[in-house]
Amino acid sequence: MRLSAYFLPTLKENPNEAQIVSHRLMLRAGMVRQTSAGIYAWLPLGFRVLKKIEQIVREEQNAAGAQELLMPTIQPAELWKESGRYDDYGKEMLRIRDRHEREMLFGPTNEEMITDIFRSAVKSYRDLPRNLYHIQWKFRDEIRPRFGVMRGREFLMKDAYSFDLDADGARRSYQKMFLAYLRTFARLGMKAIPMQADTGPIGGDLSHEFIILAETGESGVFCDKEWLDLDVLASAPGFDDDLTPFFEKYTNIYAATDEKHDPATSPLKPEELVSARGIEVGHIFYFGTKYSAPLGAVVAGPNGEQITVEMGSYGIGVSRLVGAIIEASHDDAGIIWPDEVAPFKVGLINLKTGDADCDRACDELYRDLQAAGVEVLYDDRNERAGAKFADMDLIGLPWQLTVGPRGLKNGVVEMKRRATGEREELPRDAAFSKLTAA
RNA sequence: CGGAGCGUAGCGCAGUCUGGUAGCGCAUCUGCUUUGGGAGCAGAGGGUCCCGAGUUCGAAUCUCGGCGCUCCGACCA
C-alpha cells in the first residue's frame, strides 16, 4: 500500500478524550475513531490488526475442533425469557422494539441462541460432542465505558459453545479450549496466564480467566515467576492427545488476581512470587445444564433415555485484544506490533521522493517485496524525513526499510527493527532476502 | 448510578470572572527556499463558540433547562 493513497489520519497531538496509552496511540495512529461513548469505527489500519487477531483466533479454534458459524447481533427476547436471563441481565442489555412492537435485544452473548440452534437440530448422542463458535459484535451497555476499545460497549468477541453427553466429555472440551487459548495468546506474542475465576452471571463451577500481563493493566495479579519463562507453543500437546497432564500442570502453577490472592496463605516464597498487572482477554466456563435444562437441549442416549447436554462457553475479546496488545507493547514513540498481528510487516521509507534514484530503488523494492508476499506500507509522500520516521515509529510496523540518497551512493539501505531500535546498513538485495526470510 | 471536570476551526488550547460581535500553536491550501528524526519565509481558506429558552441596545461570556464527552468510585470479554 502506498501511504500517499492510504486513509491513515495520524495525529501529532494527543486527543483530549483519551487518557490511557493504548487509546491515545490508537487514535494518534489513525486506527479507530470514536462515534459515541464506548463505540468505535475501525479505520483501515486498525481494521487490519483486528482481522489479523481474528484470524489467529480462528485458526486455533478450528485446530481444536470447533466449527465456525455466524449468529445475528439482534436476538428475540423470547429466548432470554426461556432461560430466565431476560430479567436477570439488567440494564447492561440493550433492549429494542421493532416496528411490530416485538421485544428484541442486541446480543451481549449467545448461550440462548446457540442452545436453541442446537436443540432444534441435534437429537442423538451419536452427534456429540460438538463445539460451535462465531466471531461477532456484541453490545453491553456498560455503566461506564472507558479505556478505549478495552472497555467498549460494542465489542468484537469470539464465543464458542461446547455440547457434550456427560461431565467427562465436557471436561475434555474444556481442556481443549484451555489449550487453544494458551496457544492463541502465545501466537499473538502475548504472555497470558490462566487464573481461577468467579463464574459471574453465567454460572457454573469450572472457569478460568486469561490475563495478559501489562504494566498498565487494570487489575493486580500475583503469580509464580515460573510463568514468565514458560514456552507454551514448545511444550503443548496435540489437541487429540490426553490433555489432562497438561491441564493439571498449567492449572497448578500459582496465579491469582489480587481479589483472590492472600499473602498469608500463598504457597509461594516471596522470591518466587511475581506481582504484576494484567488485562483480562479471555474467559472460559463449564456450566453443565444451566441453559440446556431450561431450554430443553436434550438428546437420546444409547438406551433411548433422554440426556440433557452438558455445556461450556469460551470467550475471547478480539477488539479488546487490540488495545491490550498495545498496552503490553509500546514505547514513547508509539506502538510496537508483535510480528503476527502487525498491520504491515515492513514500512518502506523513501527519504527523498522526486529523486530519480530513490524513487526507482523504492518502487522496485515495493514491487518485489509485494511479489514475494511481504505486506509493505510504502511511504512515498512528499514529507520531510522526520515526519516519516515519526509516523512510522507511531504506527509500529516491525521493520522499517529506509532508502535515501546518501545510502544509495554507497549501495546500501537501512533496516531498522522497531522493537529494539537496532539499525543496520546493508545492500538492497541483502535487506530484501532478510525481509522475505524473516 | 454517586462525585468531579470539560464542550470555542481537523487536533491542542486562550478568551468566560469584569457582556461590545472571536484568537494562538499545530494541521490544511498556494508560492518560493529547504530535505537523514515532526523545516523556514510569504500569503490564503476554514467557526451553528454543544443545543434551546431567557436577560440585555448587544451574549462565547450572565440565568435556566437539556445534550454530549472525560476522569474517580461500585460492575465487566
Side-chain angles (χ1 to χ4, degrees):
Chain A
M1 176 59 66
R2 285 175 184 267
L3 194 44
S4 61
Y6 198 45
F7 187 74
L8 185 71
T10 58
L11 303 173
K12 207 188 299 194
E13 291 177 276
N14 282 322
N16 197 14
E17 71 198 52
Q19 299 301 321
I20 64 156
V21 64
S22 64
H23 192 194
R24 281 204 304 261
L25 288 174
M26 287 181 75
L27 289 167
R28 285 192 52 207
M31 294 177 64
V32 291
R33 192 144 288 196
Q34 178 165 312
T35 62
S36 351
I39 303 180
Y40 294 84
W42 291 78
L43 307 186
L45 190 79
F47 188 60
R48 286 181 79 101
V49 177
L50 195 63
K51 288 290 163 181
K52 289 270 166 89
I53 294 172
E54 191 183 303
Q55 185 53 28
I56 290 171
V57 169
R58 174 177 291 118
E59 287 169 12
E60 291 299 325
Q61 291 294 295
N62 291 346
Q67 297 171 50
E68 187 171 12
L69 47 71
L70 183 60
M71 290 179 270
T73 54
I74 305 291
Q75 305 185 21
E78 288 89 80
L79 279 177
W80 288 70
K81 290 180 177 168
E82 252 190 280
S83 73
R85 280 208 290 182
Y86 195 63
D87 294 326
D88 292 350
Y89 219 91
K91 289 193 163 184
E92 279 212 343
M93 185 153 73
L94 179 64
R95 294 151 209 260
I96 304 169
R97 279 178 191 274
D98 70 10
R99 67 194 301 165
H100 305 296
E101 293 294 314
R102 298 172 84 98
E103 292 177 292
M104 314 291 282
L105 56 98
F106 197 121
T109 178
N110 286 66
E111 279 84 5
E112 283 81 358
M113 182 166 278
I114 195 73
T115 305
D116 178 52
I117 291 168
F118 178 90
R119 71 181 172 184
S120 68
V122 177
K123 304 290 182 190
S124 163
Y125 76 97
R126 294 172 191 275
D127 293 325
L128 294 179
R130 286 290 181 271
N131 188 327
L132 303 170
Y133 76 98
H134 72 343
I135 300 172
Q136 175 66 294
W137 293 92
K138 307 286 189 293
F139 195 93
R140 293 182 193 171
D141 202 355
E142 297 280 342
I143 298 167
R144 178 148 108 82
R146 59 182 129 176
F147 307 141
V149 299
M150 289 208 297
R151 174 98 54 91
R153 291 193 292 171
E154 188 181 59
F155 55 97
L156 187 62
M157 177 166 138
K158 184 286 299 180
D159 42 323
Y161 304 90
S162 64
F163 302 88
D164 283 276
L165 203 56
D166 53 33
D168 279 351
R171 188 162 299 268
R172 212 151 39 236
S173 295
Y174 186 91
Q175 290 175 353
K176 280 192 181 185
M177 284 293 114
F178 184 89
L179 171 58
Y181 274 43
L182 285 174
R183 289 185 49 91
T184 300
F185 297 124
R187 280 188 58 192
L188 292 171
M190 294 293 107
K191 179 70 68 182
I193 300 178
M195 304 199 185
Q196 192 86 36
D198 286 328
T199 52
I202 294 180
D205 64 358
L206 182 55
S207 174
H208 287 87
E209 287 178 0
F210 289 77
I211 292 182
I212 278 183
L213 297 186
E215 279 170 31
T216 49
E218 50 188 323
S219 45
V221 297
F222 297 87
C223 68
D224 192 320
K225 71 172 168 46
E226 189 183 346
W227 273 114
L228 304 181
D229 301 318
L230 282 176
D231 182 353
V232 175
L233 292 178
S235 62
F239 284 109
D240 293 328
D241 297 341
D242 177 11
L243 298 182
T244 302
F246 174 82
F247 181 74
E248 286 182 349
K249 175 187 166 198
Y250 274 79
T251 49
N252 281 333
I253 308 173
Y254 186 77
T257 59
D258 51 7
E259 291 125 23
K260 295 214 163 178
H261 177 73
D262 179 357
T265 61
S266 168
L268 295 176
K269 302 186 188 81
E271 65 271 20
E272 297 170 327
L273 185 70
V274 176
S275 165
R277 305 200 64 81
I279 302 163
E280 183 185 347
V281 290
H283 204 156
I284 60 179
F285 303 87
Y286 162 57
F287 47 68
T289 60
K290 175 164 173 150
Y291 301 99
S292 51
L295 288 164
V298 174
V299 297
N303 303 313
E305 73 277 30
Q306 296 288 294
I307 301 171
T308 302
V309 298
E310 297 278 327
M311 293 177 58
S313 79
Y314 315 90
I316 290 180
V318 176
S319 49
R320 167 180 283 191
L321 266 167
V322 180
I325 289 171
I326 295 172
E327 290 293 329
S329 184
H330 68 273
D331 62 17
D332 289 344
I335 302 167
I336 301 172
W337 289 116
D339 296 76
E340 284 259 20
V341 301
F344 297 89
K345 181 174 182 178
V346 181
L348 173 61
I349 300 175
N350 184 343
L351 276 184
K352 192 167 185 180
T353 50
D355 176 276
D357 290 338
C358 286
D359 286 352
R360 188 179 332 105
C362 284
D363 286 350
E364 286 174 10
L365 271 168
Y366 179 55
R367 184 193 62 207
D368 294 348
L369 283 168
Q370 289 202 126
V374 176
E375 292 174 308
V376 188
L377 184 61
Y378 171 24
D379 192 347
D380 59 338
R381 296 173 304 168
N382 186 21
E383 289 287 338
R384 304 180 63 80
K388 295 191 177 191
F389 289 133
D391 269 342
M392 209 51 93
D393 283 346
L394 174 63
I395 66 174
L397 307 184
W399 297 97
Q400 294 174 14
L401 189 56
T402 303
V403 177
R406 212 168 68 194
L408 283 182
K409 256 186 215 119
N410 304 318
V412 295
V413 296
E414 183 183 286
M415 230 171 108
K416 173 175 151 183
R417 180 70 172 159
R418 176 66 179 88
T420 60
E422 274 174 81
R423 300 165 201 227
E424 183 185 3
E425 293 206 323
L426 69 181
R428 180 265 190 211
D429 288 347
F432 178 81
S433 13
K434 265 201 158 181
L435 289 172
T436 47

